[in-house]
């Protein structure tokens, strides 16, 4: 008579007898993923989900089959393994943490906004220029049939070639080096095995860290032939960003940008996402101030020369409400209608502004001028 195999809970510090198995691990035939309770499974999810990245999948699948998706888009797993960053490339403080938390942001992120001047400003300009280069490289790869995971590979390699660290990687356990948000995804889409299809729109959100500073920018692109409604949405979103940028100068209140954005979005029949906002950027990936994109917000702070922050309106074709997939990251529209976004990092100058992440002479031709 053979002995009955006993399993212990995989949650760190638990070691109780366990019989529950992770359903995704069962599908992938990954052994040993046992938990004593649903509570322990939830506590371990942030670290445990890394086990789902396999290099030789037997087939793709939807990891959340019981989830009520709001639109047609579905995640296509498994994810490829976490991409490696050479040891000689300096990392932000969250890069090696098991929880991906930025101690600097938790400690100083909500403090009074600092100014960037002198040599630090020159470094910030260069890092933002490199971020633009990487975005342009990703843009050239967009075509029907390319997976968002392939775009992630391209972004990752272009970033480390510039001796920079891809800021999203392991930020609060985000598993990839870029966010790719397709169709109804508002932001924080995780690159996977889904192939881009004719008529899609896709946002590529690039962030990189080098010499102690982060760059942050994004743009929404057309894939193949896109319908007129999507073209109007994307065009209006870019215009919303520009209307806010045009207001940047010393003395402007951060809360006032949202009114200009929402007015233009509503005039074109669209809505403005409220859950996510622009932010300070520099030595920290995200810091003060918060920059909401909707009217009648309560953001605090007044622009001063030397402030660097992002404006990144997310504009929806339908309701402004959002929900999040079970991966904990992918934010989607509640009605499944499309969403578009554009983002720049902006420096407040003595007389106005400077777009640190602007187009370069080498940037590919755009379906929209100026970004």
């Amino acid at each position: 008579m053979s002995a009955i195999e006993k399993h212990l809970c995989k949650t760190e510090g638990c070691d109780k007898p366990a019989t529950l198995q992770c359903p995704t691990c069962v599908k992938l035939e990954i052994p040993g993923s046992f938990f004593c309770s649903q509570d322990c499974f939830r506590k371990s999810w942030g670290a445990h989900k890394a086990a789902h990245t396999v290099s030789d999948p037997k087939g793709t699948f939807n990891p959340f089959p019981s989830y009520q998706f709001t639109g047609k888009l579905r995640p296509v797993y498994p994810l490829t393994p976490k991409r490696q960053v050479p040891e000689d490339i300096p990392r932000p403080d969250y890069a090696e943490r098991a929880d991906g938390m930025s101690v600097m942001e938790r400690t100083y992120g909500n403090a009074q906004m600092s100014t960037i001047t002198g040599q630090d400003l020159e470094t910030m300009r260069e890092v933002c220029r490199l971020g633009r280069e990487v975005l342009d490289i990703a843009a050239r790869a967009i075509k029907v049939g390319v997976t968002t995971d392939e775009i992630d590979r391209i972004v990752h390699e272009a970033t480390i070639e510039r001796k920079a660290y891809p800021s999203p990687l392991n930020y609060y356990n985000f598993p990839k080096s870029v966010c790719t948000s397709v169709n109804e995804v508002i932001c924080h889409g995780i690159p996977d095995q889904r192939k881009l299809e004719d008529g899609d729109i896709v946002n590529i959100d690039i962030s990189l860290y080098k010499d102690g500073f982060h760059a942050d920018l994004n743009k929404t692109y057309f894939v193949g032939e896109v319908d007129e409604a999507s073209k109007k949405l994307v065009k209006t979103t870019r215009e919303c960003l520009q209307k806010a940028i045009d207001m940047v100068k010393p003395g402007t209140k951060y809360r006032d940008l949202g009114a200009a954005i929402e007015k233009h979005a509503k005039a074109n029949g669209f809505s403005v996402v409220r859950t996510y906002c622009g932010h300070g950027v520099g030595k920290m990936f995200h810091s003060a101030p918060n920059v909401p994109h909707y009217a009648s917000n309560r953001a605090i702070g007044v622009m001063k020369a030397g402030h660097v922050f992002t404006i990144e309106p997310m504009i929806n074709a339908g309701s402004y409400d959002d929900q999040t997939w079970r991966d904990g990251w992918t934010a989607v529209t509640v009605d499944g209608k499309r969403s578009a976004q554009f983002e720049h990092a902006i420096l407040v100058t003595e007389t106005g502004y400077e777009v640190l992440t602007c187009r370069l002479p080498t940037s590919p031709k755009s379906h929209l001028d100026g970004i």
Side-chain angles (χ1 to χ4, degrees):
M1 185 177 179
S2 61
I4 298 175
E5 185 178 6
K6 295 182 178 180
H7 301 282
L8 299 179
C9 183
K10 298 294 288 185
T11 300
E12 185 175 356
C14 182
D15 294 332
K16 291 181 180 179
T19 57
L20 299 177
Q21 280 189 277
C22 169
T24 302
C25 287
V26 171
K27 288 182 180 180
L28 291 174
E29 299 181 9
I30 298 173
S33 58
F34 287 86
F35 298 89
C36 68
S37 66
Q38 289 289 346
D39 186 53
C40 267
F41 180 55
R42 286 191 292 268
K43 288 180 181 178
S44 299
W45 177 248
H48 171 71
K49 63 184 177 182
H52 301 158
T53 58
V54 296
S55 58
D56 186 23
K58 294 183 178 180
T60 58
F61 64 95
N62 172 5
F64 317 119
S66 63
Y67 177 74
Q68 296 297 309
F69 291 92
T70 63
K72 295 181 179 180
L73 193 72
R74 298 291 183 273
V76 182
Y77 276 43
L79 301 182
T80 51
K82 178 181 177 181
R83 304 191 194 280
Q84 299 302 304
V85 177
E87 290 296 327
D88 63 328
I89 292 178
R91 289 146 163 74
D93 65 345
Y94 54 83
E96 306 296 339
R97 288 181 59 98
D99 59 3
M101 182 186 76
S102 171
V103 176
M104 183 181 290
E105 287 185 9
R106 285 292 181 93
T107 305
Y108 303 108
N110 293 321
Q112 184 176 2
M113 188 174 183
S114 61
T115 58
I116 303 177
T117 59
Q119 185 55 50
D120 281 350
L121 180 55
E122 292 307 310
T123 301
M124 185 67 183
R125 283 193 175 104
E126 174 62 12
V127 173
C128 287
R129 185 188 67 80
L130 294 176
R132 183 71 207 208
E133 285 185 356
V134 174
L135 178 65
D136 291 344
I137 289 169
R140 294 184 181 98
I142 295 171
K143 62 181 179 180
V144 175
V146 171
T147 66
T148 50
D149 182 72
E150 174 65 8
I151 293 173
D152 179 75
R153 181 192 66 78
I154 290 167
V155 167
H156 184 88
E157 292 180 359
T159 301
I160 63 175
E161 283 174 5
R162 287 157 177 78
K163 297 297 181 182
Y165 181 92
S167 300
L169 189 62
N170 201 51
Y171 183 71
Y172 291 92
N173 295 138
F174 190 81
K176 293 295 179 179
S177 298
V178 64
C179 297
T180 53
S181 301
V182 179
N183 296 343
E184 69 263 30
V185 179
I186 295 169
C187 60
H188 303 157
I190 297 176
D192 62 16
Q193 304 297 329
R194 181 189 181 275
K195 295 178 181 179
L196 294 176
E197 299 176 359
D198 187 51
D200 284 346
I201 60 173
V202 58
N203 180 273
I204 307 295
D205 195 339
I206 299 293
S207 308
L208 59 80
Y209 175 82
K210 182 179 174 65
D211 296 332
F213 289 86
H214 294 270
D216 198 4
L217 70 158
N218 73 52
K219 179 176 178 177
T220 300
Y221 297 90
F222 299 152
V223 182
E225 294 298 321
V226 175
D227 61 66
E228 291 302 317
S230 295
K231 289 179 181 179
K232 181 182 178 183
L233 172 65
V234 173
K235 180 175 182 291
T236 299
T237 305
R238 177 61 185 93
E239 291 167 351
C240 285
L241 172 62
Q242 191 59 51
K243 287 184 178 297
I245 290 175
D246 289 343
M247 296 175 64
V248 174
K249 63 181 179 180
T252 297
K253 295 177 180 178
Y254 284 102
R255 69 186 184 204
D256 289 345
L257 301 184
I261 292 170
E262 185 163 20
K263 180 180 179 181
H264 189 66
K266 283 188 171 182
N268 285 275
F270 302 126
S271 65
V272 181
V273 172
R274 297 185 171 213
T275 304
Y276 304 96
C277 63
H279 53 87
V281 65
K283 291 184 177 180
M284 289 177 278
F285 193 2
H286 300 91
S287 63
N290 288 330
V291 186
H293 304 115
Y294 57 91
S296 302
N297 65 78
R298 298 182 178 181
I300 61 174
V302 176
M303 296 177 195
K304 297 180 181 179
H307 285 185
V308 178
F309 62 97
T310 70
I311 308 174
E312 45 187 297
M314 290 144 273
I315 308 300
N316 293 351
S319 169
Y320 66 74
D321 286 324
D322 63 274
Q323 67 183 56
T324 304
W325 283 0
R326 288 180 180 169
D327 57 26
W329 282 102
T330 307
V332 295
T333 59
V334 295
D335 50 19
K337 294 183 179 180
R338 291 188 168 188
S339 182
Q341 183 186 18
F342 287 85
E343 175 186 22
H344 270 315
I346 311 295
L347 166 71
V348 183
T349 67
E350 294 290 347
T351 58
Y353 65 85
E354 177 184 341
V355 179
L356 298 178
T357 47
C358 63
R359 285 176 58 84
L360 304 173
T362 56
S363 294
K365 186 178 179 180
S366 175
H367 55 265
L368 295 172
D369 293 333
I371 187 170

